[in-house]
Amino acid sequence: MKLDTLLQQAKRELKAISYKAYQEALWILSDSLKLPISQIYLKNNVITKKQEKDFWLKVDFRKQGMPLEYILREKFFLNYKFYVEDSVFIPRPETEVLVKWLFENIPKNKAFKFIDFGTGAGTIILSILDHFVNSLGVAVELQSKSIKCIKKNSQNLKLQNRLYILKKDVCKIENKDLCQFYLDTLGNNLSYKKINCYNENKLYKNSFLKKANSSSKKLNSFLFESSPDLITANPPYIDPEDKNIQKEVYLYESPLALFSDKKGLGHIICWFEKAINLLKPNGIYIFEFGWKQKEQITNFLDRQKTISSYQILTDQSGHPRIAVCFKKG
């Protein structure tokens, strides 16, 4: 069958599920042919039976409501392409606002340590690590499938040497968990550093000697301690009683990454308290929230005595979506 005919048939099939039916059909065909879209029409305009079977199988998945990202196993975020598997949280465009604010407000050569709560496929933390070449990050994630995606994406971007993955519930993190990060990751790359890790007001001192390799020389002047300079987060913030959730979202994405108690504020409150406790003085906690939650968020932040100030950022549609909180010094 000719590709033009195939695409037009698929477009008709997908119209009920997507307003970009033809474009989605083209993306699926590109995936089935294992060819960039620009090269599809350079292959004599034909498709093998095996490829056609694969194509229609994926079209059928899409007709049933499966997100295109799970079918193609990829999602673009900023200028990066990330690998995603089914049930792993799919990054949204509004989260790019969070990362862009950091790009615009932190010097690119600044050396800093940060934690990303609820990392998912790794879009936030890996974008930051790639942009800020002197940064070091801890990805906190509980789900095994997400951790698999984080590892694959960090390897694709060659960032695994500056990344530590902590498999744990965010609300159960302790300062001693960060100590292990420095021992496991930095100990293999940096020399003559002393690490101070704090847990329940007790000081744990661990020192190691290791000759720095060439890739880590930029970090040799970095003073290491357990408290991070920055924490980023995209917590679950959907009220389980919300009736306006898209069908493809609640049927396919992990509810652990979507829903939160206390009308969607449970994780926001818990993660905020954990972040402020872990951050060093004057550190930054930046997190995403639902576009209808601004009043609840500002009321909550106005009552916090642990922060000196905060900013609310809007997404591309003008909706308030990101809170930037500055811990007191």
Side-chain angles (χ1 to χ4, degrees), residues 84-327:
V84 291
E85 288 193 2
D86 60 285
S87 79
V88 174
F89 181 75
I90 299 170
R92 269 59 168 186
E94 50 266 25
T95 309
E96 294 182 357
V97 175
L98 184 158
V99 179
K100 286 179 179 178
W101 185 91
L102 296 172
F103 288 0
E104 294 167 1
N105 289 275
I106 297 178
K108 190 171 183 178
N109 62 350
K110 182 178 176 62
F112 63 92
K113 306 175 296 298
F114 73 102
I115 308 175
D116 182 44
F117 288 169
T119 298
T123 49
I124 293 176
I125 193 168
L126 295 177
S127 299
I128 294 171
L129 285 172
D130 186 64
H131 182 84
F132 299 102
V133 295
N134 294 326
S135 64
L136 299 161
V138 181
V140 182
E141 177 56 55
L142 194 57
Q143 298 188 77
S144 297
K145 271 197 173 182
S146 294
I147 290 174
K148 177 183 175 182
C149 293
I150 297 167
K151 289 180 177 179
K152 186 177 180 68
N153 287 320
S154 66
Q155 290 166 358
N156 289 343
L157 292 169
K158 296 179 172 56
L159 296 170
Q160 64 270 34
N161 291 335
R162 290 193 282 126
L163 171 73
Y164 178 74
I165 300 171
L166 177 61
K167 186 177 183 180
K168 199 162 188 176
D169 184 327
V170 169
C171 294
K172 296 179 181 179
I173 299 173
E174 298 179 59
N175 297 83
K176 65 181 181 180
D177 296 320
L178 304 183
C179 181
Q180 194 61 45
F181 160 49
Y182 294 107
L183 290 176
D184 288 352
T185 305
L186 307 185
N188 294 323
N189 296 300
L190 303 172
S191 64
Y192 302 95
K193 297 296 177 184
K194 180 178 288 187
I195 306 166
N196 297 328
C197 298
Y198 298 85
N199 178 37
E200 298 176 354
N201 298 320
K202 294 181 180 179
L203 179 62
Y204 292 80
K205 292 186 178 180
N206 297 281
S207 62
F208 59 85
L209 300 177
K210 194 80 174 179
K211 186 175 181 179
N213 59 34
S214 58
S215 64
S216 65
K217 287 181 179 179
K218 294 179 180 178
L219 301 172
N220 281 351
S221 62
F222 195 0
L223 175 62
F224 291 108
E225 55 187 45
S226 62
S227 298
D229 306 273
L230 165 73
I231 296 179
T232 58
N234 185 3
Y237 52 70
I238 299 176
D239 182 349
E241 301 300 318
D242 192 334
K243 306 298 183 184
N244 298 314
I245 308 303
Q246 290 179 299
K247 182 180 178 181
E248 66 180 58
V249 173
Y250 71 76
L251 284 181
Y252 291 95
E253 294 192 63
S254 170
L256 292 176
L258 299 172
F259 301 104
S260 187
D261 60 357
K262 299 180 181 178
K263 298 186 181 298
L265 297 174
H267 286 79
I268 287 177
I269 294 171
C270 173
W271 288 19
F272 174 88
E273 293 172 348
K274 181 60 64 174
I276 296 302
N277 177 58
L278 292 172
L279 278 170
K280 65 170 51 175
N282 300 310
I284 298 172
Y285 177 49
I286 180 168
F287 68 95
E288 184 175 327
F289 57 86
W291 68 281
K292 293 182 178 180
Q293 293 178 321
K294 180 186 177 182
E295 184 176 354
Q296 297 99 309
I297 296 299
T298 55
N299 286 340
F300 171 75
L301 294 178
D302 285 340
R303 298 194 302 269
Q304 304 310 307
K305 297 180 180 180
T306 52
I307 57 175
S308 58
S309 63
Y310 68 87
Q311 298 177 20
I312 300 296
L313 311 179
T314 57
D315 63 17
Q316 298 90 330
S317 301
H319 296 131
R321 295 305 299 268
I322 307 295
V324 187
C325 306
F326 301 89
K327 182 177 178 176

Side-chain angles (χ1 to χ4, degrees), residues 73-84:
R73 297 206 164 191
E74 67 179 33
K75 172 65 177 179
F76 282 89
F77 182 86
L78 295 174
N79 296 320
Y80 304 97
K81 182 171 74 173
F82 289 94
Y83 173 81
V84 291

